[in-house]
Amino acid sequence: MPRLIADLHVHTTASDGSDAPETVVVKAAALGLAALAIADHDTLEGVEEAILAGARHGVEVLPAIELGSQLGDREVHMLGYLVDTGHKEFLDRLSFFRDSRLKRAFRMVEKLQRLGIDLKLERVLEIAGQGSVGRPHIARALLEAGAVESMGQAFEKYIGNGKPAFEPRYKCSPSEAVRIIRSAGGVAVFAHPGMAGCDQIIPSLAKEGLQGLEVYHPAHDSAVSEHYARICRQWGLLATGGSDYHGSSHREHNMLGEATVDYNVVLELKKLAGRF
């Protein structure tokens, strides 16, 4: 019997991915994935479409989310698996986060205009569509306007951290992100911790309700993955993994299924969420 595998970190057009939720599911089915977690930034908008598509194409879709948080000058991303998609307080919090993204986009477009670039917020929002607006949408608008030669250059020249048009947005603390996810019945997992570079917070987060680490990720080589697998064993955390797929046209994280885990991890997530 073939091994059942899951990609537990996937983005869609509901945030900054370039594939619609159903398209991602169709690709997952073609790859033979048993399960997929739709984990868009600050929104659950793509989950229902993906679940319905999953039922048609034989792929189990887990409702998930990725929340951005801040620790000093470091970004710490937190994944929330199997959250209650109808939890009012949780949805209100997500609405606040999305509003902060919109205000940030407005301020960044203003800065770009002051730099002499003919860019309209309306076009950025058109590119974002129904998704939660983010810097990749601004980068695409800059590319379309001919202000840069690639999306990567947009970040390097204008909208990356410390660049002329960069603008911070509200981010909660890592411990607050854990609490938000747990309050909605979700399983809180530290996303790609090797990219955050702040292992020192893992023990305190584990005591505050963190339940897992994203051990397997394209940014983690085998040594980094083993490092976080050891930390999981030490603190009794679940080791998860996923490709962080954003679409084949993205400069990175452009291979669905590049990082996967055994389907048993999905079963463990369900146990932690009290789903059986």
Side-chain angles (χ1 to χ4, degrees):
M1 185 172 178
R3 174 174 169 251
L4 299 179
I5 58 173
D7 187 335
L8 299 179
H9 190 164
V10 175
H11 296 273
T12 75
T13 48
S15 64
D16 57 347
S18 57
D19 289 350
E22 180 166 9
T23 301
V24 172
V25 171
V26 170
K27 289 183 177 181
L31 289 172
L33 295 175
L36 200 66
I38 300 298
D40 280 308
H41 297 282
D42 301 338
T43 183
L44 295 169
E45 291 297 319
V47 168
E48 184 177 0
E49 180 186 334
I51 288 174
L52 293 173
R56 291 192 297 272
H57 296 283
V59 177
E60 182 177 356
V61 174
L62 279 66
I65 198 156
E66 185 171 13
L67 298 181
S69 68
Q70 196 79 26
L71 182 72
D73 62 349
R74 295 183 183 275
E75 279 196 18
V76 177
H77 289 199
M78 206 65 63
L79 291 161
Y81 293 104
L82 297 168
V83 291
D84 177 359
T85 58
H87 193 280
K88 184 181 183 306
E89 290 79 8
F90 184 66
L91 295 176
D92 287 345
R93 195 66 171 159
L94 296 186
S95 179
F96 171 78
F97 288 149
R98 288 196 299 276
D99 186 55
S100 73
R101 283 178 170 272
L102 179 58
K103 290 176 179 175
R104 178 203 206 190
F106 176 77
R107 293 192 298 266
M108 292 181 78
V109 168
E110 277 193 327
K111 286 186 174 182
L112 288 164
Q113 290 171 344
R114 288 198 292 270
L115 290 169
I117 297 171
D118 183 17
L119 197 68
K120 299 289 191 296
L121 179 64
E122 290 76 13
R123 181 56 192 147
V124 173
L125 298 181
E126 284 175 5
I127 291 170
Q130 297 299 311
S132 182
V133 65
R135 284 186 292 171
H137 302 123
I138 297 174
R140 286 181 209 169
L142 285 168
L143 180 61
E144 183 183 272
V148 294
E149 296 180 358
S150 68
M151 286 182 62
Q153 189 182 57
F155 281 85
E156 293 160 9
K157 191 172 181 180
Y158 294 113
I159 62 175
N161 288 13
K163 302 304 178 181
F166 176 77
E167 182 74 23
R169 66 178 175 87
Y170 172 81
K171 288 194 178 94
C172 59
S173 69
S175 59
E176 185 182 358
V178 169
R179 288 195 298 273
I180 291 169
I181 291 165
R182 295 295 302 270
S183 71
V187 180
V189 173
F190 192 158
H192 39 71
M195 295 175 66
C198 50
D199 291 3
Q200 73 277 8
I201 68 172
I202 293 175
S204 62
L205 288 178
K207 293 173 184 176
E208 293 171 4
L210 182 72
Q211 294 154 291
L213 301 179
E214 189 177 40
V215 170
Y216 307 102
H217 184 275
H220 293 177
D221 61 24
S222 58
V224 172
S225 291
E226 179 51 36
H227 167 71
Y228 288 110
R230 283 195 301 271
I231 293 177
C232 283
R233 293 191 292 269
Q234 180 182 358
W235 290 97
L237 301 172
L238 180 64
T240 73
S243 65
D244 204 354
Y245 180 69
H246 279 72
S248 57
S249 63
H250 279 242
R251 58 178 178 151
E252 56 185 10
H253 308 324
N254 52 22
M255 290 179 59
L256 185 65
E258 185 177 4
T260 59
V261 290
D262 192 89
Y263 184 79
N264 284 334
V265 175
V266 174
L267 299 180
E268 291 299 323
L269 285 169
K270 289 179 179 180
K271 287 179 183 177
L272 288 171
R275 296 295 176 95
F276 61 63

